[in-house]
Amino acid sequence: DPDNAMGLPGYSHFLLVMGRLNEALAKSERAMELDPYNIRTQSFHAQVLYHARRFDEAIALAREVLAAQPNNGVARSALMDSLFMKEMHDELLTMERERWGKDPDLANALEHGFAEAGFTEVEKRLADVLAARYGRPGSVTGYTLANSYARAGDIERVIEWLGKAYEEHDNNITYIGANPHFDLVHSDPRFQDLARRVGVRIRE
């Protein structure tokens, strides 16, 4: 059924990771037309907009989702990633404080990093603390760490943690070719080899 409102969001993401961006957008937009108030549909569409580099639209839609469902991780990710690409660091820093403020080690890393070198250092300090906890109960994934190190501009750590994400069969590894955060490693042969092994296209 080409108008299956429940199936279209997932199908749009399949098209997205396979490098068929225009088709992904069309399917996601159709899902929004059919079921515009569905939180899952909205959050999935916010992600498609982010990967399509339509950051302002992704931010607006993700904010709508989070207003209705504050703990929606898909929308929060789309919002934070889009804020970073728009260099809206003040708002992103506020979100990082809300996210990690109750963890003393992460809160200290955030504040000291910001005081010493600004937002880029914040992302590096946070990633370093989280990387040290990798593999423990409640730790973040390798893909999440690769994303954080990408914000910090650390190419070597991006490659390292994407490799770990591949090893742990992280579902999100399929998004590496489309994710704007990883533009900084597109020319790296190690990244190109990883994309080949995953089976996805790197966005031009």
Side-chain angles (χ1 to χ4, degrees):
D1 179 0
D3 286 332
N4 185 308
M6 290 300 294
L8 283 170
Y11 184 42
S12 73
H13 277 234
F14 166 75
L15 294 168
L16 174 67
V17 301
M18 297 308 294
R20 296 159 63 181
L21 180 59
N22 289 336
E23 292 174 82
L25 281 165
K27 297 301 182 185
S28 193
E29 287 167 354
R30 180 58 179 155
M32 289 288 291
E33 291 173 2
L34 293 168
D35 199 1
Y37 302 112
N38 185 298
I39 292 293
R40 174 178 175 270
T41 300
Q42 291 175 333
S43 59
F44 270 52
H45 189 54
Q47 282 287 348
V48 172
L49 291 170
Y50 161 69
H51 285 86
R53 273 73 169 172
R54 289 164 57 172
F55 303 123
D56 289 329
E57 294 171 76
I59 288 170
L61 181 56
R63 283 175 173 159
E64 287 184 27
V65 173
L66 292 170
Q69 193 177 79
N71 293 325
N72 187 298
V74 176
R76 183 186 299 109
S77 175
L79 176 57
M80 295 182 74
D81 288 342
S82 297
L83 289 172
F84 175 79
M85 296 306 296
K86 291 285 291 183
E87 299 184 0
M88 298 170 68
H89 294 163
D90 288 345
E91 184 172 350
L92 185 52
L93 185 63
T94 297
M95 294 187 71
E96 294 284 32
R97 284 185 170 124
E98 292 173 353
R99 186 180 185 186
W100 306 118
K102 294 182 180 179
D103 185 310
D105 292 337
L106 289 165
N108 287 335
L110 188 157
E111 298 304 339
H112 290 158
F114 184 70
E116 292 179 19
F119 183 78
T120 298
E121 187 65 15
V122 166
E123 290 296 323
K124 183 180 184 306
R125 296 282 185 95
L126 289 175
D128 286 345
V129 173
L130 292 167
R133 300 176 179 179
Y134 179 72
R136 301 178 192 173
S139 62
V140 300
T141 66
Y143 188 87
T144 297
L145 287 166
N147 218 40
S148 294
Y149 279 116
R151 290 180 189 166
D154 190 333
I155 290 175
E156 290 302 313
R157 301 305 296 275
V158 171
I159 296 295
E160 174 189 351
W161 286 104
L162 284 179
K164 290 186 184 296
Y166 177 78
E167 292 170 2
E168 64 189 25
H169 304 290
D170 189 315
N171 291 343
N172 289 317
I173 196 70
T174 55
Y175 291 88
I176 59 172
N179 190 338
H181 274 28
F182 300 134
D183 287 357
L184 80 168
V185 293
H186 277 190
S187 62
D188 192 302
R190 296 169 294 177
F191 180 80
Q192 295 172 0
D193 177 64
L194 179 60
R196 178 188 59 77
R197 285 184 282 141
V198 173
V200 295
R201 291 179 55 193
I202 301 173
R203 176 170 173 149
E204 298 292 333

mmCIF file of all heavy atoms in Angstrom, residues 2 16 38 42 48 65 76 78 82-83 90-91 106-107 110 134 158 162 172-173 184 199:
data_model
loop_
_atom_site.group_PDB
_atom_site.id
_atom_site.type_symbol
_atom_site.label_atom_id
_atom_site.label_comp_id
_atom_site.label_asym_id
_atom_site.label_seq_id
_atom_site.Cartn_x
_atom_site.Cartn_y
_atom_site.Cartn_z
ATOM 1 N N PRO A 2 0.950 1.979 -1.095
ATOM 2 C CA PRO A 2 1.821 3.158 -1.171
ATOM 3 C C PRO A 2 1.397 4.300 -0.250
ATOM 4 O O PRO A 2 2.149 5.255 -0.054
ATOM 5 C CB PRO A 2 1.725 3.583 -2.644
ATOM 6 C CG PRO A 2 0.409 3.036 -3.100
ATOM 7 C CD PRO A 2 0.232 1.753 -2.351
ATOM 8 N N LEU A 16 16.597 6.902 2.543
ATOM 9 C CA LEU A 16 17.593 7.874 2.961
ATOM 10 C C LEU A 16 18.973 7.233 3.054
ATOM 11 O O LEU A 16 19.955 7.745 2.494
ATOM 12 C CB LEU A 16 17.195 8.473 4.309
ATOM 13 C CG LEU A 16 18.194 9.412 4.986
ATOM 14 C CD1 LEU A 16 18.338 10.695 4.176
ATOM 15 C CD2 LEU A 16 17.744 9.722 6.409
ATOM 16 N N ASN A 38 0.838 12.506 14.134
ATOM 17 C CA ASN A 38 1.457 11.310 14.705
ATOM 18 C C ASN A 38 2.891 11.640 15.135
ATOM 19 O O ASN A 38 3.720 12.061 14.322
ATOM 20 C CB ASN A 38 1.450 10.189 13.661
ATOM 21 C CG ASN A 38 1.959 8.877 14.200
ATOM 22 O OD1 ASN A 38 3.104 8.765 14.615
ATOM 23 N ND2 ASN A 38 1.097 7.867 14.182
ATOM 24 N N GLN A 42 6.191 12.494 12.832
ATOM 25 C CA GLN A 42 6.844 13.803 12.931
ATOM 26 C C GLN A 42 8.328 13.668 13.263
ATOM 27 O O GLN A 42 9.174 14.349 12.668
ATOM 28 C CB GLN A 42 6.154 14.641 14.007
ATOM 29 C CG GLN A 42 4.747 15.082 13.657
ATOM 30 C CD GLN A 42 4.071 15.801 14.812
ATOM 31 O OE1 GLN A 42 4.391 15.572 15.983
ATOM 32 N NE2 GLN A 42 3.127 16.664 14.499
ATOM 33 N N VAL A 48 14.688 13.042 8.687
ATOM 34 C CA VAL A 48 14.883 13.131 7.236
ATOM 35 C C VAL A 48 15.280 14.557 6.849
ATOM 36 O O VAL A 48 16.194 14.769 6.044
ATOM 37 C CB VAL A 48 13.620 12.686 6.477
ATOM 38 C CG1 VAL A 48 13.754 12.968 4.978
ATOM 39 C CG2 VAL A 48 13.359 11.197 6.701
ATOM 40 N N VAL A 65 7.629 18.424 18.294
ATOM 41 C CA VAL A 65 7.550 17.078 18.863
ATOM 42 C C VAL A 65 7.917 17.099 20.339
ATOM 43 O O VAL A 65 7.214 16.526 21.180
ATOM 44 C CB VAL A 65 8.477 16.107 18.100
ATOM 45 C CG1 VAL A 65 8.507 14.754 18.805
ATOM 46 C CG2 VAL A 65 8.013 15.940 16.661
ATOM 47 N N ARG A 76 14.876 14.756 19.699
ATOM 48 C CA ARG A 76 15.945 15.471 20.399
ATOM 49 C C ARG A 76 17.251 15.386 19.611
ATOM 50 O O ARG A 76 17.991 16.366 19.480
ATOM 51 C CB ARG A 76 16.162 14.912 21.798
ATOM 52 C CG ARG A 76 17.226 15.690 22.587
ATOM 53 C CD ARG A 76 17.557 15.077 23.914
ATOM 54 N NE ARG A 76 16.408 15.016 24.792
ATOM 55 C CZ ARG A 76 15.781 13.893 25.126
ATOM 56 N NH1 ARG A 76 16.206 12.737 24.662
ATOM 57 N NH2 ARG A 76 14.738 13.929 25.925
ATOM 58 N N ALA A 78 17.542 14.971 16.345
ATOM 59 C CA ALA A 78 17.404 15.819 15.158
ATOM 60 C C ALA A 78 17.601 17.286 15.510
ATOM 61 O O ALA A 78 18.227 18.041 14.764
ATOM 62 C CB ALA A 78 16.035 15.606 14.515
ATOM 63 N N SER A 82 20.867 19.446 14.307
ATOM 64 C CA SER A 82 20.566 20.599 13.439
ATOM 65 C C SER A 82 21.062 21.903 14.055
ATOM 66 O O SER A 82 21.569 22.779 13.349
ATOM 67 C CB SER A 82 19.069 20.669 13.157
ATOM 68 O OG SER A 82 18.623 19.538 12.441
ATOM 69 N N LEU A 83 20.923 22.037 15.366
ATOM 70 C CA LEU A 83 21.446 23.230 16.044
ATOM 71 C C LEU A 83 22.953 23.335 15.847
ATOM 72 O O LEU A 83 23.493 24.427 15.618
ATOM 73 C CB LEU A 83 21.121 23.171 17.538
ATOM 74 C CG LEU A 83 19.661 23.359 17.945
ATOM 75 C CD1 LEU A 83 19.490 23.086 19.435
ATOM 76 C CD2 LEU A 83 19.169 24.769 17.612
ATOM 77 N N ASP A 90 24.697 28.251 21.675
ATOM 78 C CA ASP A 90 24.144 28.625 22.979
ATOM 79 C C ASP A 90 22.984 27.712 23.354
ATOM 80 O O ASP A 90 22.910 27.200 24.490
ATOM 81 C CB ASP A 90 23.680 30.084 22.977
ATOM 82 C CG ASP A 90 24.843 31.064 22.958
ATOM 83 O OD1 ASP A 90 25.979 30.635 23.223
ATOM 84 O OD2 ASP A 90 24.612 32.252 22.679
ATOM 85 N N GLU A 91 22.070 27.501 22.419
ATOM 86 C CA GLU A 91 20.924 26.635 22.697
ATOM 87 C C GLU A 91 21.372 25.186 22.865
ATOM 88 O O GLU A 91 20.861 24.460 23.735
ATOM 89 C CB GLU A 91 19.892 26.736 21.580
ATOM 90 C CG GLU A 91 18.627 25.939 21.865
ATOM 91 C CD GLU A 91 17.529 26.182 20.848
ATOM 92 O OE1 GLU A 91 17.659 27.106 20.024
ATOM 93 O OE2 GLU A 91 16.532 25.435 20.879
ATOM 94 N N LEU A 106 30.394 14.580 34.138
ATOM 95 C CA LEU A 106 30.041 15.183 32.856
ATOM 96 C C LEU A 106 29.754 16.670 33.007
ATOM 97 O O LEU A 106 30.126 17.476 32.138
ATOM 98 C CB LEU A 106 28.834 14.456 32.255
ATOM 99 C CG LEU A 106 29.131 13.044 31.741
ATOM 100 C CD1 LEU A 106 27.838 12.273 31.510
ATOM 101 C CD2 LEU A 106 29.963 13.094 30.468
ATOM 102 N N ALA A 107 29.109 17.048 34.090
ATOM 103 C CA ALA A 107 28.836 18.462 34.329
ATOM 104 C C ALA A 107 30.137 19.248 34.471
ATOM 105 O O ALA A 107 30.285 20.352 33.916
ATOM 106 C CB ALA A 107 27.988 18.627 35.582
ATOM 107 N N LEU A 110 31.829 19.576 31.084
ATOM 108 C CA LEU A 110 31.138 20.576 30.272
ATOM 109 C C LEU A 110 31.560 21.991 30.662
ATOM 110 O O LEU A 110 31.959 22.792 29.807
ATOM 111 C CB LEU A 110 29.633 20.384 30.425
ATOM 112 C CG LEU A 110 28.702 21.192 29.536
ATOM 113 C CD1 LEU A 110 27.353 20.471 29.416
ATOM 114 C CD2 LEU A 110 28.459 22.605 30.067
ATOM 115 N N TYR A 134 32.655 3.484 28.150
ATOM 116 C CA TYR A 134 32.133 2.625 27.087
ATOM 117 C C TYR A 134 32.131 1.161 27.524
ATOM 118 O O TYR A 134 33.120 0.652 28.073
ATOM 119 C CB TYR A 134 32.977 2.798 25.826
ATOM 120 C CG TYR A 134 32.541 1.930 24.669
ATOM 121 C CD1 TYR A 134 31.366 2.194 23.979
ATOM 122 C CD2 TYR A 134 33.318 0.837 24.275
ATOM 123 C CE1 TYR A 134 30.968 1.408 22.913
ATOM 124 C CE2 TYR A 134 32.928 0.047 23.203
ATOM 125 C CZ TYR A 134 31.749 0.334 22.530
ATOM 126 O OH TYR A 134 31.363 -0.456 21.478
ATOM 127 N N VAL A 158 36.592 9.953 15.429
ATOM 128 C CA VAL A 158 35.383 9.646 14.646
ATOM 129 C C VAL A 158 35.543 8.296 13.959
ATOM 130 O O VAL A 158 34.663 7.420 14.043
ATOM 131 C CB VAL A 158 35.098 10.746 13.597
ATOM 132 C CG1 VAL A 158 33.985 10.300 12.649
ATOM 133 C CG2 VAL A 158 34.703 12.037 14.275
ATOM 134 N N LEU A 162 33.335 4.980 14.898
ATOM 135 C CA LEU A 162 32.480 4.407 13.858
ATOM 136 C C LEU A 162 32.839 2.941 13.643
ATOM 137 O O LEU A 162 31.964 2.100 13.398
ATOM 138 C CB LEU A 162 32.611 5.196 12.552
ATOM 139 C CG LEU A 162 31.899 6.541 12.496
ATOM 140 C CD1 LEU A 162 32.150 7.218 11.155
ATOM 141 C CD2 LEU A 162 30.402 6.396 12.738
ATOM 142 N N ASN A 172 22.255 2.458 13.823
ATOM 143 C CA ASN A 172 22.464 3.795 13.270
ATOM 144 C C ASN A 172 23.653 3.873 12.311
ATOM 145 O O ASN A 172 23.811 4.885 11.619
ATOM 146 C CB ASN A 172 22.661 4.803 14.402
ATOM 147 C CG ASN A 172 21.380 5.069 15.153
ATOM 148 O OD1 ASN A 172 20.321 5.216 14.559
ATOM 149 N ND2 ASN A 172 21.461 5.109 16.477
ATOM 150 N N ILE A 173 24.481 2.833 12.251
ATOM 151 C CA ILE A 173 25.639 2.871 11.369
ATOM 152 C C ILE A 173 25.227 3.050 9.911
ATOM 153 O O ILE A 173 25.979 3.560 9.088
ATOM 154 C CB ILE A 173 26.501 1.595 11.547
ATOM 155 C CG1 ILE A 173 27.909 1.779 10.952
ATOM 156 C CG2 ILE A 173 25.823 0.390 10.944
ATOM 157 C CD1 ILE A 173 28.784 2.730 11.708
ATOM 158 N N LEU A 184 33.199 15.660 7.488
ATOM 159 C CA LEU A 184 34.627 15.911 7.692
ATOM 160 C C LEU A 184 35.489 14.682 7.445
ATOM 161 O O LEU A 184 36.722 14.820 7.312
ATOM 162 C CB LEU A 184 34.881 16.465 9.104
ATOM 163 C CG LEU A 184 34.931 15.498 10.297
ATOM 164 C CD1 LEU A 184 35.489 16.225 11.524
ATOM 165 C CD2 LEU A 184 33.605 14.887 10.599
ATOM 166 N N GLY A 199 27.412 -0.934 3.199
ATOM 167 C CA GLY A 199 26.554 -1.048 2.040
ATOM 168 C C GLY A 199 25.723 0.185 1.763
ATOM 169 O O GLY A 199 24.616 0.078 1.212
#
